[in-house]
Amino acid sequence: MSVKISIFQSLMFLFNRFILRRYRNPKPKYQKGPSFLLLSDLSRDTLIFNLEGALLKSDSLFPYFMLVAFEAGGVMRSFILFILYPLISLMSHEMGVKVMVFVSFFGIKKDGLRAGRAVLPKYFLEDVGLEMFKVLRKAGKRIGVSDDLPQVMIEGFLKDYLETEVVVGREMKVVGGYYIGIMEDKTKHDLDFDELVRKERLNTGHVIGITSFNTSLHRYLVSQFCQEIYFVKKSDKRNWQTLPRNQYPKPLIFHDGRLAIKPTLMNALVLFMWGPFAVAAAAARLFVSLCIPYSFSIPILGFSGCRLTVEIDDVSSQKLNSSQRKGCLFACNHRTLLDPLYIGFALKTQNITTVTYSLSRVSELLAPIKTVRLTRDRVSDGKALKKLLSEGHPVVCPEGTTSREPHLLSFSPLFTDISDRIIPVAVTSPATFFYGTTASGLKAFDPLFFLMDPYPTYTVQFLDPVSGVSCQDPDGKLKFEVANHVQGVIGKALDFECTNLTRKDKYLILAGNNGVVKKN
């Protein structure tokens, strides 16, 4: 019965599309390029745009499927996609997309796939054309359509970052909670889009379409209710500027994933060629860090490609003399799990201690410095920190979690009344190939991915000391003032923007939880 209904719906769709509308709808007005729309008032219009044909500068979808394959499926899946790409490039466009979808999604658990919201938006934003973005911002309502990319890959990017009200993509088929690597039939996708456009015409009265010549949306919009259709050529996109970061509708503060570069075909080739050397380099660097004293390990690590730059002013230099270090608490922003270790390298001492909330058991066992797990109870955690202060040089990361972009998260005030001398430390750690942090992956692998980069780099900057809060602070207001001050001086030193976002905000966006990490 369902098969008969499906055949009947398809026949009605074709009859409605090719016969009735030829006589019922006005012939749309065709234009070359959307630049003319920049001079028009679109505040009352609905704008339908094709994602891959009219918004993104690149014509290749391979990097986005590679990201899904690597981040959701692992190295072997992404390598299979890479070696199949020469064959895929010889196929028709539609068949090639089907193969990439199958390789990237087959066997992936639906509930566990967060690449569409946590990983892909960063790379989509870096591929958006500025000229087309300006047109979208002028529209009263925006509808984003993709002929080839599944809904799960584009919805988070278009809705969360480009403020697109409606997103129409291909749905993925699911069996037993797992993707089987097959998208829905294209006729069903066209039926849903047909109904959507008809509603928009009734609601707004004026619908504008922007697409390219080589997409099915181009053919489909011809018989739709669009009064105007604008076409984008490949030559037009080559002349587009890339959307600057300061013009993002929503700042890109949180993103996840291990890859720090867009995996184009050439970048993927370089990554897989570097892979065996990366594993060997990470193992050697880890051995040196764990088993050799600092006085010998620092030059060896430098010879292996590790880079450490230490910046210190005159006041901090005096405070950091070995005779005056006792009683100092180091408060730094959090870039990777290795922040305290590199601060120890900078101080040329292993007599430092770091505190943590969610460090994996593997990382605790391998750490060359003392680590103490806190409980998130302010009273007991405060006592533990005071005890550590009497024993050595505690390093705290008040952000509570790592961050990648030039933003500082809110600083917890827990550290402000532990010591009278607080030394803010500004650290940066740019990534080349891999990020040494993760929100949804295994944290035990974070240091290894950092050490897999060709040149793991750290910059440690010791800033002017800040006075802590005395015990006479019944309202607790001074604690927050000191915490905000430390955040501000570190942000100024790094030219980072200070925010009120917290660790929970990050994990809710990237991992769908409140930051509870498995003990690996």
Side-chain angles (χ1 to χ4, degrees):
M1 184 66 180
S2 60
V3 175
K4 292 181 179 180
I5 294 175
S6 178
I7 295 174
F8 177 75
Q9 288 179 336
S10 300
L11 291 174
M12 289 299 297
F13 165 71
L14 295 173
F15 179 77
N16 188 46
R17 175 176 177 178
F18 292 108
I19 298 178
L20 292 183
R21 292 190 182 162
R22 181 172 297 181
Y23 303 100
R24 187 174 65 191
N25 298 332
K27 188 175 182 180
K29 177 182 178 182
Y30 298 96
Q31 303 281 350
K32 290 184 178 181
S35 56
F36 174 75
L37 292 175
L38 290 173
L39 305 177
S40 306
D41 181 13
L42 306 177
S43 59
R44 297 183 179 181
D45 299 331
T46 295
L47 185 63
I48 302 175
F49 65 94
N50 180 265
L51 174 65
E52 56 267 36
L55 179 65
L56 303 180
K57 295 179 60 179
S58 173
D59 295 319
S60 175
L61 301 180
F62 171 78
Y64 305 111
F65 286 111
M66 178 62 77
L67 284 166
V68 174
F70 186 90
E71 304 295 353
V75 176
M76 288 306 301
R77 185 187 296 265
S78 59
F79 183 70
I80 292 173
L81 179 60
F82 173 73
I83 62 176
L84 285 178
Y85 189 72
L87 180 62
I88 293 173
S89 62
L90 299 177
M91 301 177 182
S92 65
H93 177 76
E94 185 173 352
M95 181 57 67
V97 169
K98 289 181 179 180
V99 173
M100 289 192 290
V101 169
F102 181 80
V103 175
S104 301
F105 282 89
F106 178 75
I108 300 297
K109 192 174 182 180
K110 179 182 178 182
D111 294 339
L113 181 67
R114 301 194 61 84
R117 293 189 179 275
V119 179
L120 292 175
K122 173 184 184 295
Y123 299 94
F124 277 134
L125 283 168
E126 293 173 353
D127 199 18
V128 171
L130 176 61
E131 289 76 3
M132 184 61 193
F133 172 77
K134 291 180 178 179
V135 173
L136 293 184
R137 298 296 290 173
K138 294 173 65 67
K141 186 174 183 179
R142 293 160 287 273
I143 299 177
V145 182
S146 176
D147 299 321
D148 305 313
L149 295 174
Q151 181 93 359
V152 69
M153 289 179 64
I154 64 174
E155 188 169 26
F157 158 63
L158 290 177
K159 285 190 174 182
D160 297 343
Y161 289 91
L162 287 193
E163 300 176 347
T164 303
E165 289 80 358
V166 181
V167 177
V168 182
R170 305 277 297 276
E171 293 291 346
M172 297 288 298
K173 294 184 178 181
V174 179
V175 175
Y178 290 84
Y179 291 112
I180 61 174
I182 300 175
M183 292 186 290
E184 67 175 12
D185 186 78
K186 205 153 190 173
T187 302
K188 184 179 183 301
H189 174 263
D190 290 346
L191 281 168
D192 295 339
F193 184 52
D194 172 80
E195 183 67 22
L196 174 66
V197 174
R198 274 194 285 154
K199 288 181 180 180
E200 288 303 319
R201 174 64 189 274
L202 293 175
N203 293 336
T204 64
H206 196 264
V207 181
I208 299 174
I210 303 181
T211 183
S212 61
F213 289 100
N214 59 344
T215 63
S216 61
L217 182 61
H218 153 224
R219 300 187 297 271
Y220 195 65
L221 284 174
V222 170
S223 60
Q224 290 299 319
F225 295 100
C226 295
Q227 287 84 352
E228 300 176 44
I229 300 176
Y230 292 81
F231 295 109
V232 177
K233 295 181 179 180
K234 291 184 178 180
S235 58
D236 297 332
K237 295 204 289 185
R238 282 195 292 268
N239 296 325
W240 283 357
Q241 301 179 56
T242 302
L243 177 64
R245 291 181 62 94
N246 59 8
Q247 294 191 33
Y248 289 177
K250 176 183 177 181
L252 180 68
I253 299 177
F254 300 126
H255 59 85
D256 205 12
R258 293 295 191 184
L259 292 182
I261 59 174
K262 184 178 179 180
T264 61
L265 186 61
M266 290 305 300
N267 286 345
L269 175 62
V270 173
L271 280 171
F272 287 119
M273 291 179 64
W274 168 246
F277 300 99
V279 174
R285 291 162 177 169
L286 185 64
F287 174 81
V288 171
S289 301
L290 297 177
C291 303
I292 299 179
Y294 277 14
S295 57
F296 297 102
S297 64
I298 291 177
I300 296 175
L301 290 173
F303 180 77
S304 72
C306 295
R307 299 288 185 265
L308 172 62
T309 301
V310 181
E311 299 178 8
I312 186 169
D313 55 38
D314 294 336
V315 177
S316 295
S317 178
Q318 296 175 3
K319 290 289 184 181
L320 290 176
N321 288 335
S322 58
S323 61
Q324 295 182 349
R325 272 188 212 160
K326 190 175 181 180
C328 288
L329 182 143
F330 299 93
C332 69
N333 59 304
H334 204 3
R335 305 308 281 181
T336 76
L337 294 178
L338 301 180
D339 294 337
L341 186 61
Y342 271 88
I343 291 176
F345 281 137
L347 296 173
K348 297 181 180 180
T349 178
Q350 289 179 303
N351 188 25
I352 62 172
T353 305
T354 184
V355 294
T356 177
Y357 291 110
S358 57
L359 189 67
S360 70
R361 292 300 185 189
V362 174
S363 298
E364 282 185 318
L365 291 174
L366 295 178
I369 59 176
K370 183 179 179 181
T371 63
V372 175
R373 186 180 292 267
L374 299 183
T375 62
R376 301 193 187 281
D377 179 79
R378 290 186 178 275
V379 177
S380 60
D381 289 346
K383 292 180 180 179
L385 279 173
K386 289 180 179 179
K387 181 180 178 182
L388 294 176
L389 190 68
S390 63
E391 297 175 352
H393 318 302
V395 177
V396 298
C397 302
E399 285 182 287
T401 186
T402 55
S403 58
R404 296 176 175 179
E405 296 300 315
H407 296 82
L408 293 182
L409 307 186
S410 178
F411 274 32
S412 168
L414 177 63
F415 69 98
T416 57
D417 61 351
I418 304 301
S419 172
D420 290 332
R421 290 199 302 273
I422 300 171
I423 299 181
V425 185
V427 298
T428 56
S429 177
T432 305
F433 285 165
F434 306 104
Y435 286 115
T437 62
T438 184
S440 55
L442 295 176
K443 284 191 171 294
F445 291 155
D446 285 2
L448 293 178
F449 273 97
F450 173 80
L451 295 174
M452 284 169 62
D453 258 353
Y455 299 101
T457 303
Y458 249 92
T459 298
V460 178
Q461 183 178 359
F462 294 96
L463 306 176
D464 291 342
V466 174
S467 298
V469 179
S470 63
C471 296
Q472 289 75 29
D473 183 24
D475 297 330
K477 294 181 180 180
L478 291 178
K479 294 181 180 181
F480 288 94
E481 292 178 3
V482 173
N484 292 336
H485 175 69
V486 173
Q487 182 196 37
V489 296
I490 293 178
K492 183 178 180 181
L494 297 175
D495 196 22
F496 283 8
E497 180 180 351
C498 298
T499 73
N500 293 322
L501 297 171
T502 65
R503 166 182 163 276
K504 287 186 177 181
D505 295 322
K506 169 188 169 180
Y507 278 91
L508 285 174
I509 293 173
L510 299 183
N513 57 55
N514 61 359
V516 177
V517 180
K518 295 181 180 180
K519 299 175 183 179
N520 306 301

